[in-house]
């Protein structure tokens, strides 16, 4: 499939009215054809109008049609074959195996959302029916019904570090489409070609199923203007964004809107690793090796990369640092996702290393070509860590900080001072359980996901998985698991005047729940 550099506006493909830009091939440090053109204000407005016009028709379709749409998108992505894999490798510098795995994950996510939608109402629609109490004194209660309905068109922002799984057809897009919300996607400028290919797969799926035009649009933009226009557009009441500092800036724009809107942004996390004393003494070599593997995975460009290690000073921590130094010295430098990300990592890592009381502990092998990241681990003590807020800031890339504490009290003080995180990990043995129990109440309030004796750089796609956390890890931690799917929905309560017999039903549809004709047909999900 030949790339065009065009926007996708409903059923049409057209050149954007804004400035042109190129994707870069980070491993070669050179631009990639074709030229892409940013959406201008008129393009953004048209995409939002098409989404609004499609909304009522799309949400009224049977749930099975939504499920078919998600399934067909996955099939079309697979049908792109090598053209998608090759372009994604070129635009990101990621190895082919990683991209192939991410494609499988993306298709799997779409299939999981489709399966939940296909099962129907009770679970998916969060349907509740309270039977009428006509004899209640002093006042009778009418029949009450509630279920989730789609919020409206949703804006989705592609991620820099996951060109497929958290991008045009990623989790946010699947969630919104499953809930009955049309989407307007802002492609990440680091991989616009990959985004166009996936966008055309979605457009093709919509056309194959004769869905309303406007259920999907794709916008390009090399700067911030397109995203800012989407966040402030009055026809887009829902937003989902994935990745980093711009999330906070766009959240500020969303909060200044006249009408508040839900805004889901993942922004910053250092994913602390807490090495409790017995585990550290018994497994220092193993922990050091596994930590290096986690830190250097995808050149540290996972949002769950372990950016902080907390432990008590002593012989065990000294041994851990020695093993870490020897292991990291063997880690080769590797190409980062883009020149911009490489520059941001280089500057943040240098700034962290320059903080008073911080020293270089270990380094990976030197770089061999442009835009490569050389892994590094720094060290400081508990007093400096507690006194310097900059030491708790994320460095997105292959850099981490080890902190040695004088005693349990100083360690617990540092844990209480942590900001919200995506993940927190306790490494412990049986003798560490009493200390872990004292830490747990604080840890539960600091992270969306707690791990024990693991490392956080694997995020499974499943019903119980949480990929979110307290601010500033995310802007809203209440619905960041697989069940975020119903998040772009609001509750609706109906009180019909005619009250008929309420039936029990394991899987009511939205029509079952909201049917108020003569009060007949109301159903209630099984508890």
């Amino acid at each position: 499939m030949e790339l065009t550099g065009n926007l996708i506006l409903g059923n049409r493909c057209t050149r954007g009215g804004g400035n042109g830009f190129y994707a870069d091939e980070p491993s070669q440090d050179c631009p990639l054809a074709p030229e892409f053109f940013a959406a201008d204000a008129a393009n953004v407005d048209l995409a939002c109008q098409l989404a609004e016009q499609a909304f009522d028709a799309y949400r009224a379709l049977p749930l099975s049609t939504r499920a078919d749409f998600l399934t067909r998108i996955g099939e079309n992505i697979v049908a792109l074959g090598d053209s998608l894999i090759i372009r994604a490798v070129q635009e990101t510098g990621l190895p082919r195996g990683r991209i192939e795995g991410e494609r499988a994950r993306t298709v799997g996510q779409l299939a999981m959302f489709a399966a939940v939608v296909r099962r129907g109402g009770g679970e998916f629609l969060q349907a509740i029916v309270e039977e009428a109490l006509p004899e209640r004194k002093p006042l009778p209660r009418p029949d009450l019904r509630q279920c989730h309905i789609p919020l409206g068109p949703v804006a989705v922002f592609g991620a820099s570090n996951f060109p497929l799984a958290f991008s045009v057809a990623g989790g946010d897009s699947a969630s919104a489409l499953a809930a009955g919300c049309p989407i307007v996607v802002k492609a990440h400028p680091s991989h616009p070609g990959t985004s166009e290919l996936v966008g055309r797969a979605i457009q093709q799926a919509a056309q194959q199923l004769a869905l309303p035009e406007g259920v999907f649009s794709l916008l390009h933009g090399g700067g911030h203007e397109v995203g800012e226009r989407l966040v402030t557009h009055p026809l887009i009441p829902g937003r989902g964004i994935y990745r980093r500092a711009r999330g906070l800036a766009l959240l500020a724009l969303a909060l200044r809107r006249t009408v508040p809107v839900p805004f889901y942004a993942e922004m910053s996390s250092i994913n602390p690793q807490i090495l409790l004393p017995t585990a550290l003494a018994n497994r220092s070599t193993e922990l050091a090796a596994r930590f290096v593997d986690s830190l250097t995975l995808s050149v540290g460009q996972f949002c769950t990369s372990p950016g902080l290690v907390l432990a008590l000073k002593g012989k065990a921590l000294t041994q851990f640092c020695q093993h870490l130094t020897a292991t990291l010295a063997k880690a080769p430098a590797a190409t980062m996702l883009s020149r911009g990300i490489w520059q941001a990592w280089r500057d943040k890592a240098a700034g962290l290393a320059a903080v008073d009381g911080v020293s270089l502990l270990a380094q990976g092998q030197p770089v061999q070509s442009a835009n490569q990241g050389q892994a590094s681990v720094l060290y400081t003590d508990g007093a400096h860590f507690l006194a310097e807020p900059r030491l708790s800031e994320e460095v997105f890339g292959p850099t981490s900080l080890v902190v040695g504490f004088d005693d349990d009290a100083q360690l617990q003080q540092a844990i209480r001072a942590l900001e919200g995180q995506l993940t927190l990990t306790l490494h412990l043995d049986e003798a560490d359980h009493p200390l872990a129990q004292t830490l747990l109440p604080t840890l539960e309030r600091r992270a969306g996901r707690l791990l024990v004796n693991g490392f956080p750089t694997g995020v499974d796609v499943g019903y119980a998985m949480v990929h979110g956390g307290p601010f500033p890890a995310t802007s809203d931690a209440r619905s960041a698991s697989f069940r975020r799917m119903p998040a772009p929905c609001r509750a609706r309560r109906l009180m019909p005047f005619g009250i008929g017999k309420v039936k029990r039903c394991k899987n009511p549809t939205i029509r079952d729940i909201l049917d108020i004709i003569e009060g007949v047909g109301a159903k209630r999900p099984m508890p």
Side-chain angles (χ1 to χ4, degrees), residues 70 80 100 117 144 217 270 284 354 436 446 468:
L70 296 169
L80 289 169
E100 289 176 335
V117 174
L144 299 176
S217 290
I270 54 176
S284 62
R446 294 295 186 275

Side-chain angles (χ1 to χ4, degrees), residues 18 38 52 111 146 214 299 345 408 518:
E52 172 63 23
Q146 182 189 102
V299 208
W345 161 76
D408 290 355
E518 297 181 354

Side-chain angles (χ1 to χ4, degrees), residues 298-313:
S298 286
V299 208
Q301 296 168 118
F302 280 172
C303 47
T304 52
S305 184
L308 181 66
V309 177
L310 309 179
L312 297 180
K313 293 177 181 176

Side-chain angles (χ1 to χ4, degrees), residues 179-449:
C181 300
I183 58 174
V184 179
V185 178
K186 165 61 174 64
H188 196 280
S190 292
H191 40 79
T194 304
S195 299
E196 181 185 330
L197 290 172
V198 175
R200 287 162 70 178
I202 300 175
Q203 183 191 48
Q204 182 183 25
Q207 292 171 341
Q208 289 167 336
L209 296 173
L211 299 183
E213 183 182 12
V215 73
F216 170 76
S217 290
L218 176 70
L219 304 177
H220 291 294
H224 303 316
E225 294 83 2
V226 176
E228 291 170 355
R229 286 172 179 145
L230 272 177
V231 166
T232 56
H233 200 286
L235 294 180
I236 303 287
R239 300 179 176 60
I241 181 171
Y242 186 88
R243 276 233 70 71
R244 305 338 255 181
R246 282 300 297 167
L248 188 59
L250 293 176
L251 174 60
L253 285 176
L255 293 175
R256 290 201 294 268
R257 284 176 53 122
T258 302
V259 179
V261 295
F263 187 95
Y264 300 95
E266 184 194 314
M267 296 177 292
S268 177
S269 183
I270 54 176
N271 308 296
Q273 307 293 298
I274 304 171
L275 312 182
L276 297 187
T278 306
L280 185 58
N282 291 341
R283 298 186 276 121
S284 62
T285 302
E286 173 200 344
L287 288 172
R290 294 176 65 197
F291 167 74
V292 170
D293 286 344
S294 184
L295 173 65
T296 57
L297 187 64
S298 286
V299 208
Q301 296 168 118
F302 280 172
C303 47
T304 52
S305 184
L308 181 66
V309 177
L310 309 179
L312 297 180
K313 293 177 181 176
K315 180 180 178 182
L317 180 57
T318 300
Q319 291 175 337
F320 171 83
C321 291
Q322 290 172 345
H323 295 313
L324 187 160
T325 300
T327 304
L328 190 63
K330 303 173 186 176
T335 303
M336 300 189 73
L337 289 161
S338 69
R339 183 165 186 79
I341 288 176
W342 172 78
Q343 289 174 330
W345 161 76
R346 178 198 60 188
D347 294 345
K348 287 285 288 185
L352 185 65
V355 173
D356 185 45
V358 175
S359 60
L360 178 65
L361 175 64
Q363 272 188 312
Q365 295 178 9
V367 301
Q368 301 296 321
S369 60
N371 302 321
Q372 285 194 333
Q374 180 185 22
S376 62
V377 176
L378 308 172
Y379 180 85
T380 193
D381 60 29
H384 283 94
F385 181 78
L386 289 166
E388 179 51 76
R390 287 179 294 173
L391 299 182
S392 297
E393 294 179 359
E394 180 189 37
V395 179
F396 185 64
T399 294
S400 189
L401 175 68
V402 175
V403 184
F405 295 92
D406 295 331
D407 50 37
D408 290 355
Q410 192 181 49
L411 172 63
Q412 292 181 47
Q413 183 183 358
I415 292 172
R416 288 193 297 270
L418 290 172
E419 293 184 317
Q421 306 292 330
L422 293 174
T423 72
L424 271 164
T425 302
L426 280 174
H427 295 276
L428 55 85
D429 283 355
E430 186 173 354
D432 296 312
H433 286 184
L435 178 55
Q437 288 292 337
T438 65
L439 298 176
L440 192 58
T442 301
L443 298 177
E444 290 175 333
R445 300 195 303 270
R446 294 295 186 275
R449 181 160 55 108

Side-chain angles (χ1 to χ4, degrees), residues 424-505:
L424 271 164
T425 302
L426 280 174
H427 295 276
L428 55 85
D429 283 355
E430 186 173 354
D432 296 312
H433 286 184
L435 178 55
Q437 288 292 337
T438 65
L439 298 176
L440 192 58
T442 301
L443 298 177
E444 290 175 333
R445 300 195 303 270
R446 294 295 186 275
R449 181 160 55 108
L450 297 180
L451 295 89
V452 175
N453 294 332
F455 283 86
T457 36
V459 181
D460 192 56
V461 179
Y463 297 96
M465 177 56 65
V466 174
H467 188 55
F471 187 90
T474 62
S475 61
D476 190 332
R478 292 172 294 176
S479 55
S481 69
F482 180 83
R483 293 186 183 277
R484 181 174 173 180
M485 174 173 55
C489 301
R490 62 173 177 263
R492 174 174 178 176
R493 176 182 292 176
L494 294 180
M495 294 186 293
F497 293 103
I499 301 174
K501 183 178 179 181
V502 178
K503 303 177 183 178
R504 295 172 67 83
C505 179

